[in-house]
């Protein structure tokens, strides 16, 4: 895998993880599959979340489960929906996944922003929203295909590092899978907001109306941190 990490703080953490047995096995397995299978996101974007959101800039974490396993063709060019940021798709993609559409509906209901014309959440990541999937790669059209390879160990260690070394981070846990990560978070130091998952199967059971975007900004403002401009332009 391509492991180029720009942020110095993340780089120290990554280098330690890369030396561990579990990561060596993970790297061997995933790297071999890249040679024979269609894997998303592309190698240079696997760690996009960490290169877009430096560790010392993290204010909010949104935890997803898997990268999108779908892609579309635009002018004969394959555009994977996964680009290393949970729930986000590249700006050029035309087909917004259902969960992301529901995120935008809640954003509209909560803060009144228009439904965006694209699904690229990079602007959130640049403001300190770590868009973290629990598993960072997937085989095309095979949801969950890279679970239990070791990615969960890696991303659990990411969450524990942030929990132990930072304070006042807002964790948005959407759905039962994300809620399982609560045990990794020191609730005395951080803020945890939970709701149903934005999937069409569950959004009506508590995601719609959760107002996590405005609640997050209230928390940040009360803790004298810059709020997030959630509007996608």
């Amino acid at each position: 895998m391509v492991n180029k990490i720009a942020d110095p703080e993340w780089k120290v953490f990554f280098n330690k993880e890369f030396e561990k047995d579990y990561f060596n096995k993970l790297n061997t397995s995933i790297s071999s599959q890249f040679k024979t299978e269609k894997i998303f996101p592309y190698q240079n974007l696997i760690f996009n979340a960490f290169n877009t959101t430096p560790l010392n800039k993290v204010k909010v974490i949104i935890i997803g489960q898997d990268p999108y396993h779908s892609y579309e063709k635009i002018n004969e060019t394959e555009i994977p929906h996964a680009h290393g940021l949970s729930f986000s798709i590249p700006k050029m993609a035309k087909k917004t996944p259902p969960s992301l559409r529901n995120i935008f509906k809640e954003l509209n209901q909560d803060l009144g922003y228009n439904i965006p014309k694209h699904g690229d959440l990079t602007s959130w990541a640049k403001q300190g929203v770590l868009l973290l999937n629990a598993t960072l790669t997937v085989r095309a059209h095979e949801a969950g295909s890279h679970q239990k390879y070791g990615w969960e160990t890696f991303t659990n260690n990411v969450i524990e590092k942030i929990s132990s070394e930072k304070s006042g981070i807002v964790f948005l846990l959407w759905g039962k899978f994300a809620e399982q990560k609560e045990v990794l978070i020191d609730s005395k130091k951080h803020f945890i907001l939970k709701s149903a998952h934005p999937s069409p199967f569950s959004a009506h059971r508590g995601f719609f109306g959760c107002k996590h975007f405005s609640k997050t900004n209230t928390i940040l403002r009360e803790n004298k941190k810059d709020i997030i401009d959630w509007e996608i332009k």
Side-chain angles (χ1 to χ4, degrees):
M1 290 183 286
V2 179
N3 300 327
K4 293 182 179 178
I5 304 300
D7 177 56
E9 281 191 273
W10 278 131
K11 199 167 190 175
V12 171
F13 167 75
F14 271 60
N15 286 341
K16 289 180 180 177
E17 295 301 306
F18 292 162
E19 292 175 357
K20 296 178 180 178
D21 287 342
Y22 87 89
F23 199 93
N24 285 326
K25 293 176 182 176
L26 167 65
N27 191 23
T28 298
S29 298
I30 303 301
S31 295
S32 64
Q33 289 189 45
F34 265 107
K35 297 175 183 177
T36 59
E37 309 271 358
K38 189 172 288 187
I39 307 297
F40 299 139
Y42 292 147
Q43 289 197 59
N44 63 315
L45 292 174
I46 291 174
F47 301 113
N48 190 21
F50 304 95
N51 282 323
T52 308
T53 311
L55 182 56
N56 66 355
K57 299 290 185 183
V58 174
K59 294 184 285 187
V60 181
I61 300 179
I62 299 177
I63 299 175
Q65 188 166 355
D66 273 343
Y68 295 121
H69 56 83
S70 55
Y71 65 94
E72 54 188 279
K73 279 196 173 183
I74 300 176
N75 298 325
E76 301 305 314
T77 300
E78 284 186 2
I79 307 296
H81 286 162
H83 68 144
L85 305 176
S86 65
F87 294 104
S88 179
I89 60 174
K91 187 174 288 187
M92 66 189 74
K94 305 297 183 185
K95 300 176 182 178
T96 305
S99 291
L100 184 55
R101 284 202 301 270
N102 285 338
I103 289 171
F104 290 155
K105 287 179 183 177
E106 174 58 23
L107 187 61
N108 170 261
Q109 293 172 12
D110 186 7
L111 294 173
Y113 295 139
N114 292 330
I115 302 297
K117 295 181 179 179
H118 65 85
D120 189 344
L121 306 182
T122 299
S123 64
W124 294 0
K126 288 182 176 179
Q127 295 177 76
V129 182
L130 183 64
L131 298 170
L132 180 67
N133 275 318
T135 301
L136 299 188
T137 56
V138 68
R139 283 194 297 273
H141 304 307
E142 293 185 48
S145 50
H146 282 175
Q147 292 177 7
K148 299 182 180 178
Y149 274 72
W151 279 128
E152 293 89 347
T153 300
F154 176 76
T155 53
N156 282 351
N157 289 348
V158 169
I159 294 169
E160 288 184 322
K161 178 179 178 65
I162 292 172
S163 178
S164 65
E165 296 184 8
K166 305 295 179 182
S167 62
I169 305 298
V170 183
F171 289 82
L172 303 186
L173 308 183
W174 296 342
K176 291 181 179 179
F177 178 86
E179 287 181 13
Q180 293 173 2
K181 305 299 181 182
E182 187 173 3
V183 297
L184 306 172
I185 304 164
D186 185 346
S187 60
K188 295 178 181 178
K189 295 171 56 183
H190 303 286
F191 305 92
I192 300 172
L193 300 180
K194 297 185 287 186
S195 78
H197 193 276
S199 160
F201 300 106
S202 57
H204 291 279
R205 297 201 295 268
F207 179 75
F208 290 140
C210 70
K211 297 187 180 298
H212 278 185
F213 303 105
S214 59
K215 287 178 180 178
T216 294
N217 278 350
T218 296
I219 291 169
L220 294 175
R221 193 180 291 112
E222 289 175 348
N223 286 271
K224 295 180 171 52
K225 294 183 180 181
D226 291 337
I227 63 173
I228 304 299
D229 179 2
W230 295 107
E231 187 173 13
I232 303 296
K233 301 168 185 174

